[in-house]
Amino acid sequence: MTTREVPQAEWETTLNRVCEGAITRHVTVDVLAPDVGAQRLVTHLPLIGLEVSSQAGRPATIAITTAPEDPDTMPFIHVVARPAHVFLEEDAEGALHALDIEDEGHTKTLLMFDQASAA
């Protein structure tokens, strides 16, 4: 496995590419915050969106959207405010295993991609 940091200027195009390649792949989403520890937000749900929004020329938020467990409910959206770093973890063949988004307060949002759901 190799982990690489994505330059900020490439976040939008990289996350769009990740989302297109991983659309409907199941993900688990964890948040690791210095003040509250590890919290699991999503377990094994299809990824349906990754969106970067900008303000004053720099990324202001990254939104992660997963399909709902119950089709009668709304999708789950987790927003990372003030992102500072984006890392991709890939295997030797380039298959994506994890996405790590870190905010300015050192909180990490980890998306772990279920390899069994890879197309």
Side-chain angles (χ1 to χ4, degrees):
M1 295 286 174
T2 58
T3 301
R4 66 178 177 90
E5 183 168 7
V6 179
Q8 190 176 75
E10 299 173 16
W11 286 2
E12 188 167 0
T13 57
T14 299
L15 293 181
N16 285 338
R17 182 179 46 82
V18 165
C19 193
E20 288 171 5
I23 197 77
T24 73
R25 275 186 65 191
H26 290 206
V27 295
T28 296
V29 180
D30 291 336
V31 173
L32 294 89
D35 54 345
V36 295
Q39 305 290 317
R40 174 134 309 153
L41 303 180
V42 169
T43 303
H44 191 70
L45 290 177
L47 176 68
I48 58 173
L50 289 169
E51 184 178 335
V52 178
S53 69
S54 297
Q55 187 175 53
R58 67 171 295 200
T61 64
I62 297 176
I64 302 154
T65 306
T66 60
E69 286 185 78
D70 178 351
D72 294 330
T73 62
M74 299 294 291
F76 176 80
I77 301 172
H78 174 69
V79 177
V80 178
R82 299 182 331 270
H85 302 279
V86 172
F87 298 92
L88 297 176
E89 182 180 293
E90 301 167 315
D91 64 20
E93 289 79 39
L96 182 61
H97 285 259
L99 175 66
D100 173 359
I101 304 167
E102 298 181 17
D103 71 17
E104 292 175 357
H106 306 289
T107 296
K108 295 182 179 190
T109 299
L110 302 173
L111 282 79
M112 283 87 49
F113 291 84
D114 181 353
Q115 298 309 302
S117 68

